[in-house]
Amino acid sequence: MPELTSRVRDHRLDAAKGVLICLVVFGHLLEQTSFWDAGSIRLPLTAIYLFHMPAFVFLAGVTAKTSRMVERAGSSLVLLLAFQGLYFGFDLLIESPQKFTYFPFWTLWFLLSMVYWQLLLPVILKLRGVAMAGSVVLALGAGFADGVIGNDWAVSRALVFLPCYAAGALYGHKFLALASRTSTGLKAGLVVASGAVAWVIFSLDMKPGWFFGNRSYAGLGDDAPDGVFVRAGLLAVAALMTFTLLCLIPNRVGTATAVGRSSLAVYLFHGFVVMAVTPLMPLVWENAGRWGALALCALFTVVIVAAFSRPVFDKALRVTSQTIVRLVTAPLADRPKSSRETPEKMQVEPE
């Protein structure tokens, strides 16, 4: 009988994405109430930002494939360009006080970074340990490179979170296997350790820029070697909290898995709602207090996620982007075969 275990879908990946996209939406809403100024808001924001994007990038690495690499990178690029225009137009329409003027627009840095990471995947898989070590060096060194620091072209963030992607691509399945074998006692210990670390970092009142990956060490108030140590420590904390999440996620189908399978749509569309309600959120903070603001942000999160996690949105995004990529690349795919190209080399590797 053929081996089927390798083809069985690990529902923890989808469930983890479902949890993380909820944290993304919740965190963006919380930021609009009082940004990071109020302690009662800064605590949950610190806990969220310590690991939610590193974990997302790690999962992207786990599910990364070298097959149809151009199409995958092209789909990310198509969505990036489309939503760059939509977000920029919406920003002008609502006359946002934030006035985003850089590329890529706000949360879209992740899509452009995905293009970089997808194109680097063959190198990562070939060099393995060397690539892993190199990604750490690049992440730590990005804080010194004035030419890549900032929001433009997402280079800084792509470098800072590159170790997470490389770790997912190289060791992700081993992490998942290890997480599935953890005892109840160890899971409890990991939760306590993660909570304690988050509380300590919250108590240190670190600048939010440390979590964004788009600031220089000097701009954050640290020079070498302090900045390097802080970033290395934050990457280690992100690894701890990501592993803790994977230990707690059950490998079964549920609401979180359904949300996770449509996380792309939630990620791309939720920003419009957040931008629209931004002028109202400080008023909520002033009139409803911290608990009212937290409750309203939680309610908004549920509504936004429930609305945009409907399969129709995710399917529309993927079908449209992949169709555009195929139309653009069709002339290349249909070019005459040279005498050196065999039929096997011309075939597209299946999904």
Side-chain angles (χ1 to χ4, degrees):
M1 183 175 181
E3 179 64 36
L4 297 177
T5 54
S6 62
R7 296 182 180 272
V8 175
R9 188 182 187 95
D10 192 328
H11 300 296
R12 288 176 297 174
L13 297 175
D14 293 322
K17 289 180 181 179
V19 172
L20 291 170
I21 196 62
C22 290
L23 292 179
V24 169
V25 177
F26 187 55
H28 284 157
L29 289 168
L30 282 179
E31 280 189 312
Q32 306 311 318
T33 60
S34 63
F35 195 59
W36 291 64
D37 298 329
S40 54
I41 295 297
R42 190 165 55 83
L43 177 57
L45 280 176
T46 299
I48 291 171
Y49 276 78
L50 273 172
F51 82 104
H52 78 314
M53 287 315 302
F56 242 129
V57 177
F58 175 82
L59 294 176
V62 174
T63 57
K65 300 177 182 178
T66 54
S67 62
R68 298 168 55 198
M69 188 178 65
V70 173
E71 183 174 337
R72 295 174 192 278
S75 294
S76 296
L77 189 59
V78 167
L79 291 173
L80 167 65
L81 296 176
F83 277 83
Q84 175 75 17
L86 291 172
Y87 269 113
F88 185 75
F90 190 71
D91 191 44
L92 294 176
L93 179 65
I94 65 174
E95 299 182 346
S96 168
Q98 294 171 297
K99 296 299 179 187
F100 295 99
T101 58
Y102 48 81
F103 177 85
F105 191 96
W106 189 26
T107 64
L108 299 181
W109 69 266
F110 182 75
L111 277 181
L112 184 53
S113 296
M114 278 296 298
V115 175
Y116 299 147
W117 297 328
Q118 286 166 337
L119 296 178
L120 282 173
L121 182 60
V123 178
I124 293 172
L125 295 178
K126 182 176 181 178
L127 299 181
R128 300 191 66 79
V130 174
M132 187 71 241
S135 70
V136 174
V137 171
L138 289 173
L140 300 181
F144 300 110
D146 293 334
V148 303
I149 293 168
N151 293 307
D152 288 329
W153 298 99
V155 176
S156 180
R157 281 168 160 159
L159 291 175
V160 169
F161 295 113
L162 178 59
C164 306
Y165 186 83
L170 294 172
Y171 315 114
H173 291 288
K174 292 182 179 179
F175 268 79
L176 286 167
L178 181 61
S180 66
R181 297 195 299 268
T182 54
S183 64
T184 302
L186 181 55
K187 290 177 182 178
L190 288 169
V191 171
V192 171
S194 297
V197 170
W199 177 263
V200 169
I201 293 177
F202 162 74
S203 302
L204 293 174
D205 196 16
M206 293 182 66
K207 293 181 179 179
W210 278 110
F211 309 123
F212 300 155
N214 61 345
R215 300 286 190 274
S216 68
Y217 295 145
L220 292 167
D222 282 303
D223 294 315
D226 293 344
V228 173
F229 290 147
V230 172
R231 177 156 292 167
L234 290 175
L235 287 172
V237 170
L240 168 67
M241 298 180 74
T242 299
F243 183 68
T244 302
L245 174 67
L246 294 176
C247 288
L248 299 176
I249 296 291
N251 189 11
R252 62 172 180 263
V253 177
T255 302
T257 56
V259 171
R261 290 172 185 172
S262 298
S263 58
L264 176 65
V266 179
Y267 154 68
L268 286 173
F269 287 114
H270 86 279
F272 295 108
V273 181
V274 173
M275 290 171 64
V277 302
T278 291
L280 303 176
M281 299 310 289
L283 299 177
V284 172
W285 173 258
E286 294 172 5
N287 294 284
R290 60 181 180 180
W291 295 114
L294 286 168
L296 186 62
C297 287
L299 177 61
F300 277 177
T301 298
V302 171
V303 172
I304 292 171
V305 171
F308 294 123
S309 63
R310 297 175 65 85
V312 62
F313 289 104
D314 187 76
K315 184 176 181 180
L317 289 173
R318 296 183 186 278
V319 170
T320 301
S321 62
Q322 291 170 7
T323 299
I324 292 174
V325 171
R326 286 168 183 159
L327 289 173
V328 172
T329 58
L332 298 176
D334 294 337
R335 72 186 189 281
K337 302 175 186 178
S338 69
S339 58
R340 295 184 180 182
E341 288 178 321
T342 63
E344 288 77 13
K345 291 181 180 178
M346 293 297 294
Q347 291 175 353
V348 178
E349 186 176 347
E351 197 60 58

